Amino acid sequence: MLKDALLVGLGSFLGGSARYIVSKLLPLWIASPFPIATFAVNIIGCFIIGLLTALPTEGWLSTNTKLILTTGFCGGFTTFSTFMNENNALIKDGNIMMAAFYIILSLALGFAAVIMGIQLAKAI
């Protein structure tokens, strides 16, 4: 388990670093009030985790490499990719209502939590 945690940590470091680089460079190339960097990272992360999840472990990626890239890199790059991958798994397993509940609740409570955090910070 410690080895796996270190592998995930390595991947997270690389993913978080990549996210930071994209967030600094993309706005230099595309000027927009739309949060293009976060949007791009989320969509790219979803594509990467979908690709890696679908690749067979045998012959393509070792279990350790898949762990570094999915849980580590994609998790550090964006948790949105993991969120979408989990919803895909719920739908594949026939849990469509659970996926819908997870999506709606995550978006609503996530947004509410951001607002509450902002309000708390203003009150301090």
Side-chain angles (χ1 to χ4, degrees):
M1 183 153 102
L2 178 59
K3 181 184 107 187
D4 289 348
L6 291 173
L7 292 173
V8 169
L10 171 64
S12 295
F13 170 77
L14 296 171
S17 297
R19 180 181 62 228
Y20 177 78
I21 291 167
V22 169
S23 74
K24 294 300 177 190
L25 293 180
L26 197 56
L28 297 176
W29 299 325
I30 302 171
S32 172
F34 184 77
I36 190 72
T38 301
F39 179 76
V41 162
N42 285 337
I43 301 307
I44 291 166
C46 286
F47 174 77
I48 292 170
I49 204 166
L51 176 69
L52 294 172
T53 300
L55 286 176
T57 303
E58 304 82 30
W60 283 89
L61 300 171
S62 70
T63 303
N64 287 341
T65 303
K66 206 168 191 176
L67 185 63
I68 290 170
L69 294 175
T70 56
T71 305
F73 182 84
C74 288
F77 195 56
T78 172
T79 58
F80 186 76
S81 59
T82 301
F83 170 66
M84 287 299 163
N85 197 45
E86 289 171 344
N87 279 294
N88 179 61
L90 286 170
I91 291 168
K92 273 178 41 180
D93 291 342
N95 295 319
I96 295 169
M97 293 304 293
M98 179 68 74
F101 179 71
Y102 183 34
I103 291 167
I104 292 166
L105 195 62
S106 294
L107 293 175
L109 292 181
F111 187 68
V114 167
I115 300 300
M116 288 172 24
I118 291 168
Q119 295 305 313
L120 178 61
K122 287 180 179 179
I124 294 176

